[in-house]
Amino acid sequence: MGLRIYNTLTGKKEDFTPIVPGRVNIYVCGVTVYDYCHMGHARSMIVFDVIVKYLRYLGYKVTYVRNFTDIDDKIIKRAKERGKDPKEIAQYFTKAFYEDMDSLGIERADIEPRATEHIPEMVSLIERIINKGYAYVVDGNVYFSVRRFKGYGGLSKRSLEEMMAGARVEVDPRKEHPLDFALWKKAKPGEPFWESPWGKGRPGWHIECSAMSMKYLGETFDIHGGGQDLIFPHHENEKAQSEAATDKPFVNYWIHHGFLTINQEKMSKSLKNFFTIREILSKFHPEAIRLFFLNHHYRSPVDFSDEKIKEATKALEKLYITLDRAKQILGEFRQERTDEAIRSKPLYKRLVELEGSFKSAMDDDFNTAKAIGCLFDAIKEINLYLDKDEKEKGLIFEAVNKVKTLGNILGILRLEPRAFLTQGIDISVEEIEKLIAERAIARKRRDFKKADSIRERLAQSGIILEDTPHGTTWRVDYKRNL
RNA sequence: GGCGGCAUAGCCAAGUGGCAAGGCAGCGGUCUGCAAAACCGCUAUUCCCCGGUUCGAAUCCGGGUGCCGCCUCCA
C-alpha cells in the first residue's frame, strides 16, 4: 500500500500518483506579509513542512513552491497607517516570517516567489484568459466571469445558486455577476501600480498563485495546499482562472488543513484571539509546538492552550530522556554499517516493524498522530532494552538512529538530548557540577541529610538529579518550569 | 437561510465493519539510602442519544441533540 491523500476536489482519500514518476510538484499558499505570523500560520507551515519531509523520505524528488503575497489591500492599508511605503512593510514582515519559521525548524521552500516580481507573468495570464473569453474589462478593471466557466464551485462543492443564496457581498454594479472576481484592479490615486494593457493597476489576489505556480511547476501539477479557509474563494478562483486559460486540470490533489481555535473559536485577527508565533516561542520549545500540532490529524480542528503545549513538552521530554539514556551509554561510539548480527536482534527487528507502522500511518493521509504513537512504542522498546544488564552499543546506536530518523520527518528530536534537557537554566553548569560532586562525597559518607539538602538546593533552581549506576546526571525540571 | 465538518476515559487524541493506539494527569508495585527515570499493573464492557442493517458497528443507514467552520479578508 502506497501513499493515500485526502483530496478536497473529490472528497475522498485517493492513491497518490504523481504526474512524473518519482517527482512531486507542490505549491502551498504562503502568507500576506503585513503583520507577524500567528499560531495558525505556524500550524499551516508545520503541516506542509512535514508533508514535504515525508515525501522526500519516501524518495520523491520534491519541488516545493511557497509564495509571498507582497502587494495587496491589507499591505497598502498597513503602510498608510504607519506612514510607510508598502514595500517596506512587506520587506519587514518577510524578514519576520523567516525568523519565525527558522525558530520553528521549518525548512525553506525550494522556490519562494513574490507576487511583485511576477507581474508580467500575471499580465500575460490575464490576457490569455481574456482571449479565451472568460474575462472582461471594465474601466481599467479586469473581471473573471464565473458564469462562463463551467464547473465553477467544483472545488468548494457549491453551485452559483447556493452561493448567491447566502451572499452578503456588496455588489460592484460593474460586474456582470456578483461573484465575478478581479483579475486586475485599477489603481486608485496614491496606490502602488504597474503598467498593463488595461492601464495602471495591480493584480487581484488569486491571479498571483495561478501565475507563479504554473510558471514554476507547469500548467498541471501534483499538489496544491493551504488552509481550509482558502478553499473558497481563493482556490476555487485560482482553479477556475487557471483552467480557463489552459483547458487543462490545474491541480491533481488539493490538500487543506483544519483551523486552530482558541476556546473552540477560530483564531483570527478580527476576533482578536490570536497569538503570534514569537509570543508562544518565548514560552515553549519549538519542537513541543510541533509535537502539539502533529499529535492531531492535519484536517481536524486543533484547540490551542498553554496547558496543551505543556503536555506536549512533557511528552517530548520523555523521548529525549530515553535518547539521553542511550547517549550516556554510547558516549562517542559510532558505527558506519549495520551488520547481520545486529539485524537479527529482537529489538532491531521490532524497530523495523515499528518503522513500518510509522510509514503505514503516514501513508494514510499523513496520519501524524498515529505515527507519533509508533514513535512512543519504539521508545518503550528501547527503554526496556536499556533496563537490561547486558547491552550492545552497536544495537543501541542503530535503535537511536531509527528513532531520530522518524522523529526528524516530524521535525523533532533534532537536538542533542543533553542540549534539550539542560535548556533554560539560571545557574551555571560549573555550579551544578560542583554541587553534584559535593553530594557524591556526602553520599559516600552516607551523609544523606547533606546529600538531600543539595538535591533540594538544585531543585530550587529547577534542576532534577538522577542517580544512575554510571553516576549522577541532571536535567531541567520541565514540569516545574511550565 | 444554504453547504460542510465534528462528538471516543479526568484531559488531549488515533481508530471508518471483527477483542478501543499513543501522550498528559492519577493510583498501586518493582528498582532506589531517599528520589528521579524506566518498567509492570490499574484507570472507556464501551465510543453524545434513539432506532435500524449485520453473525458482528465507535465505525454503515435513518432520526434527534450539542459544538464548530465556510458562504466576506483570513493558514
Side-chain angles (χ1 to χ4, degrees), chain A residues 69-80:
Chain A
T69 299
D70 61 350
I71 182 65
D72 102 316
D73 292 349
K74 292 190 291 287
I75 296 172
I76 293 170
K77 183 164 169 264
R78 183 58 49 93
K80 268 186 192 148

Side-chain angles (χ1 to χ4, degrees), chain A residues 160-180:
Chain A
L160 282 177
E161 294 69 43
E162 282 167 356
M163 287 188 258
M164 285 311 297
R168 288 175 272 157
V169 214
E170 20 152 336
V171 177
D172 183 334
R174 292 169 304 186
K175 288 191 203 172
E176 288 177 8
H177 184 101
L179 288 163
D180 288 353

